[in-house]
Amino acid sequence: MKTLTKEAYKQALVTARQVANSNLRDAGTLALLGYILGEFKNYKEEQQMYKEGLKLNDQDPLLHWYLAYSMSCELDDNKKARNGVKVNDFFKTYS
């Protein structure tokens, strides 16, 4: 990731983590943290935030959408990084 992008999100990431670890932790806060982690391409942690948010509010359509989108981005990045990996092998990690 470009250094400028990391710098742009650096303070937002710190603040979002602080809020997510406070008594203000809710599905929206976890979604926000997930969005920021997605900008860092930290897919596993991003997806974990969405899953934790869904435990708090499983009816939030945006959390479902962003979880699926993150998985898609991870798959695409993995495909580009490791040409020849089968899609089935990727999805075994989500079983």
Side-chain angles (χ1 to χ4, degrees):
M1 171 182 281
K2 295 180 181 176
T3 304
L4 291 177
T5 303
K6 284 185 177 181
E7 276 303 308
Y9 283 96
K10 186 177 179 179
Q11 186 56 50
L13 181 61
V14 169
T15 302
R17 283 191 194 280
Q18 289 173 340
V19 174
N21 290 318
S22 74
N23 60 350
L24 299 174
R25 181 184 183 94
D26 65 3
T29 300
L30 294 169
L32 182 60
L33 179 54
Y35 304 155
I36 295 167
L37 289 165
E39 293 300 322
F40 283 85
K41 295 184 182 260
N42 187 344
Y43 298 118
K44 294 298 183 199
E45 191 175 2
E46 174 190 14
Q47 292 163 20
Q48 186 60 37
M49 293 301 108
Y50 299 142
K51 289 175 185 177
E52 288 181 28
L54 286 167
K55 288 178 186 175
L56 298 172
N57 180 3
D58 67 348
Q59 298 299 308
D60 188 329
L62 284 177
L63 286 170
H64 288 283
W65 190 92
Y66 275 104
L67 175 58
Y69 182 72
S70 175
M71 292 170 69
S72 176
C73 289
E74 182 181 10
L75 178 61
D76 188 54
D77 282 358
N78 282 344
K79 183 179 175 186
K80 290 174 185 171
R82 295 183 291 161
N83 225 353
V85 173
K86 295 179 182 176
V87 173
N88 288 341
D89 293 339
F90 173 80
F91 285 107
K92 285 179 185 174
T93 62
Y94 292 98
S95 303

